[in-house]
Amino acid sequence: MGNSKYEMNQTAALPVDHTFYENAANLIAESRKMVASTANTVICVTNFEIGRMIVQEEQRGQNRAKYGTTLIKALSEYLTSQFGKGFSETNLILQRTR
């Protein structure tokens, strides 16, 4: 048996075709890159929309938000209880659009 972990044993009926294995591996690698890229895009859009929603809720039709609002703290607690990590007050403040 050869050194490659992809080679079939000597009693296998099909011949070893490294190009086939490499093509299959490349397809999987490219698919994983596409999934990661798509996920990143969706996360960015979601964070932008959450930030926009925060600003709209804080302002409630006014040009400027009232200071001292507890919206971000309450939203952070709620989202963390629903989805776990990633929704700290700091993260939500960073998501706000200006």
Side-chain angles (χ1 to χ4, degrees):
M1 184 174 271
N3 293 334
S4 173
K5 65 181 179 180
Y6 298 108
E7 280 192 51
M8 300 174 74
N9 68 36
Q10 297 296 329
T11 60
L14 299 174
V16 175
D17 182 355
H18 294 286
T19 303
F20 173 78
Y21 297 136
E22 289 169 4
N23 288 343
N26 287 336
L27 180 61
I28 292 168
E30 289 302 313
S31 296
R32 287 180 177 178
K33 286 180 190 176
M34 288 172 49
V35 167
S37 177
T38 301
N40 287 338
T41 300
V42 170
I43 289 168
C44 286
V45 170
T46 300
N47 290 345
F48 176 84
E49 286 300 316
I50 289 171
R52 186 186 59 74
M53 291 169 61
I54 290 169
V55 170
Q56 285 182 337
E57 183 66 22
E58 285 177 334
Q59 292 178 350
R60 294 210 176 203
Q62 304 299 313
N63 287 335
R64 292 176 99 34
K66 294 179 182 175
Y67 291 98
T69 182
T70 59
L71 175 67
I72 290 178
K73 182 178 187 330
L75 182 60
S76 171
E77 290 172 1
Y78 179 78
L79 293 177
T80 299
S81 73
Q82 295 293 308
F83 301 104
K85 293 181 181 181
F87 301 98
S88 68
E89 290 179 54
T90 301
N91 284 352
L92 293 177
I93 289 168
L94 293 172
Q95 290 176 9
R96 289 176 68 230
T97 57
R98 306 264 181 233

